Amino acid sequence: ITGYTKADNGKVQFFDENIFGLSPDKISNLGLGRTFQKLKPFADQTLLENVIVGALVKEKNLKVARDKALEIIDFVDLIEKRHHYAKELSTGQRKRLELARALATDPKLLLMDEVTGGVDQRTIPGLVELVLKLKKNGKH
């Protein structure tokens, strides 16, 4: 659906657009976001820099993208970690970072792959709460 695996045939309709065969960046630009089960943040960049990269997909003004990134980082409850390198974060915090990066692209629809996969039992309720908070704020 998101273009990361090439399909042999078929049709994928996203709103009024056939997205079958489009590249992941084009699909993302149309508003389909996703998170990944296997986390691959930019390890040597800060949390803030990671999210700014996502925001720059739609917002070309760096200051506006930075402000948007900070707002999203606050939303996922990582504002105090914004200057930490991604490689310094726990698995649960990297899951939140992954979600923040996806949200920064301003998706109309967000597909999430195993949001709680690989995290310790104490972290799961906070991640579930975050997903419910997304729904409450109108994200699908």
Side-chain angles (χ1 to χ4, degrees):
I1 293 173
T2 58
Y4 286 90
T5 302
K6 187 90 169 141
D8 296 332
N9 59 50
K11 183 177 179 181
V12 179
Q13 195 76 22
F14 181 63
F15 290 95
D16 294 329
E17 190 88 26
N18 179 11
I19 61 172
F20 181 82
L22 295 181
S23 63
D25 62 308
K26 288 188 172 127
I27 292 171
S28 175
N29 284 333
L30 291 170
L32 183 56
R34 75 166 294 182
T35 64
F36 293 86
Q37 176 184 354
K38 293 187 180 184
L39 304 170
K40 294 183 181 177
F42 301 116
D44 291 324
Q45 289 185 352
T46 66
L47 190 148
L48 177 58
E49 291 166 336
N50 268 269
V51 181
I52 287 173
V53 169
L56 287 170
V57 167
K58 296 231 172 122
E59 178 53 59
K60 301 309 175 200
N61 180 300
L62 184 58
K63 176 164 180 5
V64 174
R66 183 180 189 283
D67 291 345
K68 179 179 179 181
L70 285 168
E71 181 181 315
I72 292 167
I73 291 168
D74 188 41
F75 180 83
V76 300
D77 298 322
L78 286 176
I79 198 70
E80 72 285 348
K81 300 280 187 184
R82 67 188 176 278
H83 297 302
H84 290 227
Y85 290 100
K87 64 185 172 188
E88 299 170 350
L89 302 175
S90 69
T91 302
Q93 291 166 338
R94 281 185 277 132
K95 289 280 188 175
R96 289 174 181 269
L97 169 57
E98 180 74 7
L99 183 56
R101 288 180 357 156
L103 289 172
T105 67
D106 197 26
K108 295 176 189 172
L109 177 66
L110 180 60
L111 304 175
M112 296 181 279
D113 189 359
E114 296 197 34
V115 176
T116 62
V119 299
D120 63 88
Q121 292 296 311
R122 294 175 311 193
T123 304
I124 292 173
L127 290 171
V128 170
E129 184 180 313
L130 182 56
V131 172
L132 293 172
K133 185 172 149 184
L134 277 171
K135 183 177 179 178
K136 182 180 174 190
N137 283 285
K139 288 291 180 187
H140 303 285

